[in-house]
Each structure stands twice: as structure tokens, then as C-alpha cells.
Amino acid sequence: MPAHRSKSEKHDSAMQVRRDPYEVLGVSRNSTDQEIKSAYRRLALKYHPDKNANDPEAADMFKEVTFSYNILSNPDKRRQYDTAGFEAVESESQDLELDLSSLGAVNTMFAALFSKLGVPIKTTVSATVLEEALNGVVTIRPLPLGQSISRKVEKQCAHFYSVTITEEEARAGLVCQVQSSDRSKFKLLYFDQEENSGLSLALQEDCAKTGKVTSAGMYFLGFPVYRLDQTVNSMAAAKDPDTAFFKKLEGFQPCEITELKAGTHVFSVYGDNFFKSATYTIEAVCTAPFVEEKEYLRATEARILTKRMELSKFESEYREVLAQFTAMTSRYAKEMQEIDELLKQRYEIQASYTTGASVKRSTSKNRNRAPSPEAKEDGQHRDKKPSTRDRAKKKRWFNIHLKVDKRKPC
């Protein structure tokens, strides 16, 4: 009978057979975020369970590709892996992207429940949608600049739109935004056009709650514009509120594409609700009239980057002071307890100098002392009740014999 291996042994063996994430994705160590993302999407589409239903090797490859991407797509984890390998990466905290179209009804219900409870769940675009786009069999509607279109997209389905811009409009900049007044979940996608008229996913923005609506936007302004990944902060908040604060700007990363060329560009709105369709409004605008807003956005994001660097320094200072405060608080409680104990002892000593206390103590001692035999005997005689015969022998006042001389008259 084979010996059972412990959980730690299984974990160590699993760590040994893991391949280098760069090797899994087929990219070099100095690859850009866009190159890593493109490689992941190509391999994920190739090994997706929807396309390889009865192929266990493809399923293992899909898990390996996803695991590798989860490390390399996170700047912090990528830096940790480059420094110390898998040992520096917490595999338990890896957040996988779920394809809701392949989960089934029961698993989708559980995912929806966890999402309602505040557990951050990352979802990915359905492999069917990506394959249809890659094969060029999707319907694309034109989206004129400055005009908004409101529609409803079914869950795990997508609506495609084409936006055509001139050279002048490309230099001025383009913004594409989507909003949902009923706070539906959706993704805003941008596709590159392949030579075979197919579309490959290049950018993806998950919607975020902003007030009473959910919204997502892509900004091609000719300079680096940053995006904020909310899931990084959500995972940190679930562990520690302090960590959530210092990691608040950790997901603030630059977008891969900063400007668009003149021509036709394809955007898409993907319904990301668990059960129902998503209602949305999409709009694309040229940013030529928004010169002040562009400069204000650039200045604000520069201040956010500065604040992120300051937070990193402030965290080390805060942790040091917090450790000192914790030590002082512990000492405070200990000193208070010792002082109270000393004062209690002092009061007991002072109370022992009174005569009342000594009398009281002697009285209590006498009360606890056992009675002597003579006292016991006296007590027994005192407590002994007379019998019936003894009561009969007693003289009553009406039984007294009075001697009267009958010879002498009264």
C-alpha cells in the first residue's frame, strides 16, 4: 500500500513541477504588459475548456497559463517572482478569472453569492465571443462621434461598434465611455484588427461603481493615462484595513495604448452580469474641445503617482510607530495592573492597624472555636425538656392545700 504524503509534501512537489511563467506564456523577461496580455489571451483561447471539453491536458494547460498570467500581470507579484521565484509568491492568494459562460447554473449562483458578500471575483470574456470575433463573424454597428447609443446586452454576450476618426481627430484624442444607470456589470473592450478581417482583444476595462451608476472608459489622449484596478484594493481590504489603505493606489497602472491612428476602430460592450442582461449607454467623443480637461487630468494623475510614492514611504514609518504604540499600550496596561495591586496591598495593611478589626477577628475566632465539655453538659441540661411524669408532680396554685380551723368562726 503506497504511503500517504502530507499536504506540505504535495505542495513542495507541485512547486517543483511548475514551469517558469515566462516560458509558459512564451515571452521574455523584459516583455511589456501588453505583450504578456496578448500572449495570455492567445493561449487561453487555444486551451479554453469550451473548445477542449474532453481533453484533460488542455485543461491543465489552461490552468497553467492562467496561473502564470496571474503572476506576471501583477507588477508586485512579478517583481517578487523575479527576485525570489515561486517561494515569494503566495499561490493561495492567486485570484483566477472566471468564464461565467462555462460555470453552469449552480457554480454561477455561488459566484454571485460571494460577489454579493463582497468577495472580489474577476471574470473573463467568454471564449465563444473571442473566437467569433477572431473569425470575423460578429455584427459591427457604426458609432458616430458625439452620439450616444443605449441598448441592452445579454449576459456573456457582446455588442460591437466601429468608430472612424480622421488624422486631426486622432491627434486631438479620443474617449470612449460606457455607463449603466441600473448599475449593471459590463466590460468595455477594444479590438485590434487582424489581416484576415478578424478581431483580437487588445484592451479590457471592467466597470466600476461611480455614484449611482457603473461606468468604464478608455482614454487615448496622446500621453500616458492610468487605470485603477479595484480588485487589488478589494483583496487587500479583505485581509487588513491598514493594508487596504496603503495598497489603495497599487492598482494604478498605465494603459497599454495611449493614442489611436486615423481609421476605423472597434469597441465592444460585454454583458458581465451573473444572471440578467445589462443595460448601457455608449458614447465616443473627440477631445479637441476639452483642452483644459486634458491638462487637468494629466496634472491630477501626476499628483496621484507622487502620492503613491509617498504612501510607500509613509507605510514603513506608520508600521514602525504602530509597533511602538502597541508596545506602549501593552506596558500601560501592565503598569496600571501593578499600581492597582500595590494600592490594594497598602489599603489592607492600613486596615490591620484598627482595634475594631482585631476584636472582630477575635470574635470571629471565638465563634469558630469548639465549645468545652462542661458547656456542652450545661447546655444539654438547659435544653432538656421535662417528661410527662415530672409535669404531673409539679404543684399548681390550684392544688395548694390550705389548712382551715373549722372550730373558729371566721
Side-chain angles (χ1 to χ4, degrees), residues 179 183 208-216:
Q179 285 189 350
R183 292 190 285 188
K209 290 183 180 180
T210 52
K212 296 183 178 180
V213 301
T214 50
S215 61

Side-chain angles (χ1 to χ4, degrees), residues 37 60 64 96 102 135 148 155 193 220 236 238 270 292 337 347 357 367 370 379 390 403:
K37 187 172 292 186
D60 292 338
E64 188 177 29
L96 301 178
S102 61
N135 294 332
S148 60
K155 59 183 178 68
Q193 299 187 34
F220 309 96
Y270 177 79
E292 294 183 1
Q337 184 179 2
Y347 174 77
R367 189 180 298 122
D390 294 337
K403 292 183 179 181

Side-chain angles (χ1 to χ4, degrees), residues 50-245:
D50 286 355
K51 299 180 62 177
N52 306 273
N54 299 319
D55 189 351
E57 293 185 2
D60 292 338
M61 281 297 301
F62 181 78
K63 292 178 182 178
E64 188 177 29
V65 167
T66 305
F67 178 78
S68 301
Y69 177 70
N70 285 333
I71 295 177
L72 301 184
S73 62
N74 187 310
D76 194 24
K77 293 176 182 177
R78 182 180 180 182
R79 183 172 59 253
Q80 291 176 356
Y81 174 78
D82 291 342
T83 304
F86 283 114
E87 294 181 358
V89 181
E90 298 178 355
S91 60
E92 291 82 4
S93 64
Q94 297 294 329
D95 47 317
L96 301 178
E97 293 186 347
L98 301 178
D99 182 356
L100 298 180
S101 63
S102 61
L103 282 183
V106 176
N107 291 333
T108 302
M109 288 178 61
F110 278 111
L113 177 60
F114 287 132
S115 179
K116 286 289 184 181
L117 294 176
V119 179
I121 296 179
K122 297 184 69 174
T123 57
T124 185
V125 181
S126 168
T128 303
V129 172
L130 296 178
E131 187 173 11
E132 290 176 351
L134 194 60
N135 294 332
V137 293
V138 295
T139 301
I140 304 176
R141 295 183 55 177
L143 176 62
L145 289 177
Q147 296 185 17
S148 60
I149 296 178
S150 298
R151 295 182 67 188
K152 181 182 293 187
V153 60
E154 296 299 323
K155 59 183 178 68
Q156 288 82 61
C157 295
H159 290 166
F160 290 81
Y161 298 93
S162 61
V163 178
T164 303
I165 56 176
T166 62
E167 289 282 354
E168 184 179 357
E169 292 169 337
R171 285 194 299 269
L174 177 74
V175 172
C176 182
Q177 289 185 325
V178 182
Q179 285 189 350
S180 174
S181 57
D182 62 355
R183 292 190 285 188
S184 296
K185 291 183 63 179
F186 60 86
K187 298 179 187 293
L188 176 60
L189 312 176
Y190 174 76
F191 289 86
D192 283 333
Q193 299 187 34
E194 302 292 335
E195 296 179 357
N196 60 348
S197 300
L199 302 172
S200 62
L201 183 60
L203 294 177
Q204 172 181 313
E205 284 291 335
D206 290 356
C207 67
K209 290 183 180 180
T210 52
K212 296 183 178 180
V213 301
T214 50
S215 61
M218 292 184 180
Y219 305 86
F220 309 96
L221 305 178
F223 58 87
V225 178
Y226 288 74
R227 56 186 296 271
L228 183 61
D229 187 359
Q230 299 286 353
T231 57
V232 176
N233 191 45
S234 299
M235 293 295 294
K239 297 179 179 178
D240 178 30
D242 289 342
T243 304
F245 169 71

Side-chain angles (χ1 to χ4, degrees), residues 276-399:
K276 63 179 183 178
S277 57
T279 304
Y280 69 91
T281 299
I282 185 172
E283 181 182 17
V285 296
C286 176
T287 59
F290 302 95
V291 178
E292 294 183 1
E293 287 79 0
K294 288 169 63 176
E295 294 303 320
Y296 186 59
L297 176 62
R298 184 191 297 206
T300 302
E301 292 193 336
R303 292 176 60 188
I304 294 176
L305 289 175
T306 303
K307 185 61 67 176
R308 186 175 66 178
M309 295 177 61
E310 293 175 356
L311 269 182
S312 178
K313 183 186 297 185
F314 175 55
E315 181 179 9
S316 59
E317 298 175 357
Y318 173 82
R319 298 294 183 187
E320 182 179 353
V321 174
L322 181 61
Q324 295 177 359
F325 174 76
T326 303
M328 289 297 102
T329 304
S330 177
R331 180 180 174 184
Y332 174 87
K334 182 179 179 181
E335 294 289 347
M336 179 63 71
Q337 184 179 2
E338 291 182 359
I339 291 173
D340 290 342
E341 185 65 28
L342 290 173
L343 291 176
K344 181 181 178 182
Q345 293 176 9
R346 174 179 175 271
Y347 174 77
E348 291 177 352
I349 295 171
Q350 290 177 340
S352 66
Y353 285 102
T354 62
T355 56
S358 60
V359 172
K360 190 175 181 181
R361 285 197 300 271
S362 62
T363 305
S364 61
K365 290 180 181 178
N366 294 334
R367 189 180 298 122
N368 295 330
R369 188 180 301 164
S372 62
E374 292 80 3
K376 267 187 183 179
E377 188 175 350
D378 292 343
Q380 289 175 357
H381 286 297
R382 194 181 303 112
D383 295 340
K384 187 176 180 181
K385 294 183 179 180
S387 62
T388 307
R389 179 179 297 179
D390 294 337
R391 284 202 299 269
K393 291 180 179 178
K394 277 189 176 181
K395 292 184 178 181
R396 311 284 182 178
W397 67 270
F398 51 79
N399 291 330

Side-chain angles (χ1 to χ4, degrees), residues 3-14:
H4 292 285
R5 293 187 300 172
S6 65
K7 184 181 292 187
S8 60
E9 291 175 345
K10 291 180 181 179
H11 179 72
D12 293 340
S13 62

